[in-house]
Each structure stands twice: as structure tokens, then as C-alpha cells.
Amino acid sequence: MKIIADKILLKERLQSTIIKLKDRKEDDKNKTMFVVTYGAIISALTTILIGLSSYISSYSIYFNIAALFSSASITVIHSWDKLFSHKKLWLLEAQIYRELKELEEDIEHLEKTGNLHQDFLNQCYDRYKQIIKKWNTDWLEMRNSE
């Protein structure tokens, strides 16, 4: 069945998807940055605590306990990140975001030049559906490969 695309509806859905995706992309980027930064800082802190425990023997037990908790927190954070794969999501969302923005720009150019005929509009709608389908397929493949 051939669908005759509606310009207003397509532009609204495209804009809505872009806005939501941009927020998700930024959220996953921030979570990725947190995991990487937290891991680096806490790893360094753990090393320092272990080192201090040999130099300041009167507080050795406290340094060792703190090192134990800090290293355990790294395990928890990295397990959480492995479960949700924020970096992979961020990269996937960035790719899909770029494709949707290109589609949006193409529609704008076709509108400005007066060339947004029904055939082109239908092609744009098909592209939109293909981008969303690709996003879902890639997301499922990413989840199944974990």
C-alpha cells in the first residue's frame, strides 16, 4: 500500500523525534563522561589510599577500608555501564540524529525552492521510516550482542 505523506504531520514528527533524540543523546553522552571520569578519579584515589597505608601505618586500616570501598564502587559503576551501554547508545543516537537532521534540511531546501511535490514528500516520509527502522534494528542488535 502506498502512503501519501502529509507535509505538516511529517515535519511535526520529524521535529519531535529530533528534539527527543537530542535530549537522549546528551543524556547518554553525560553518563558516558561520568563513567569514564569517575573510573579514572576513583582508580587514582584507590592507588593513593593503598600507597598511603604503607607510609602511615597508624591509619593503615582506614586507608585499606577506604581503598576497598572505592575499588568496589568502580566495579558497580562499570557493571551499570556495561548493562546500559551508554557510550554505544550515545554513538548510535548521534548517527541517527545526524540522519534525521539531514532529512529535515532536505525538506527545508525542497520547500524553499518550491520543489516539495507529493512524490518528493513521499520519498522523505519513506526515508524517515527507514531511519527509524534502522535505529530500532541497530538498538536491538546492540542489546542482543551484550
Side-chain angles (χ1 to χ4, degrees):
M1 177 174 95
K2 183 172 171 104
I3 294 178
I4 298 174
D6 179 73
K7 178 176 79 170
I8 295 171
L9 182 60
L10 175 58
K11 287 176 69 175
E12 286 174 356
R13 288 212 176 138
L14 183 57
Q15 186 61 35
S16 172
T17 305
I18 287 171
I19 290 169
K20 289 175 187 174
L21 184 58
K22 183 177 181 184
D23 291 342
R24 289 175 64 169
K25 178 175 69 88
E26 287 302 313
D27 187 48
D28 283 317
K29 177 183 175 183
N30 291 337
K31 288 175 182 174
T32 298
M33 296 302 191
F34 169 77
V35 167
V36 170
T37 305
Y38 182 85
I41 291 170
I42 298 301
S43 292
L45 178 64
T46 302
T47 302
I48 291 168
L49 290 169
I50 291 170
L52 286 174
S53 70
S54 14
Y55 288 109
I56 308 172
S57 57
S58 58
Y59 291 102
S60 176
I61 188 75
Y62 300 112
F63 290 134
N64 286 333
I65 291 170
L68 182 65
F69 279 107
S70 65
S71 67
S73 74
I74 293 172
T75 303
V76 170
I77 292 294
H78 283 287
S79 296
W80 171 66
D81 187 51
K82 180 71 174 161
L83 178 64
F84 293 106
S85 305
H86 293 293
K87 183 176 181 180
K88 288 180 182 179
L89 285 171
W90 168 37
L91 295 173
L92 174 62
E93 291 158 354
Q95 176 187 359
I96 298 300
Y97 178 80
R98 181 186 48 77
E99 291 178 24
L100 290 171
K101 287 298 286 183
E102 285 176 5
L103 176 58
E104 182 181 53
E105 290 170 5
D106 289 350
I107 291 171
E108 287 176 16
H109 284 287
L110 288 169
E111 270 186 319
K112 295 282 186 208
T113 59
N115 291 324
L116 190 56
H117 304 294
Q118 190 62 50
D119 288 340
F120 288 130
L121 191 58
N122 291 344
Q123 289 175 14
C124 290
Y125 179 64
D126 286 340
R127 268 179 63 194
Y128 174 76
K129 290 191 312 185
Q130 289 300 315
I131 292 168
I132 298 301
K133 183 178 180 179
K134 180 184 182 306
W135 181 11
N136 289 330
T137 301
D138 289 353
W139 184 87
L140 282 172
E141 286 177 7
M142 184 184 75
R143 287 294 173 214
N144 289 331
S145 70
E146 299 286 318

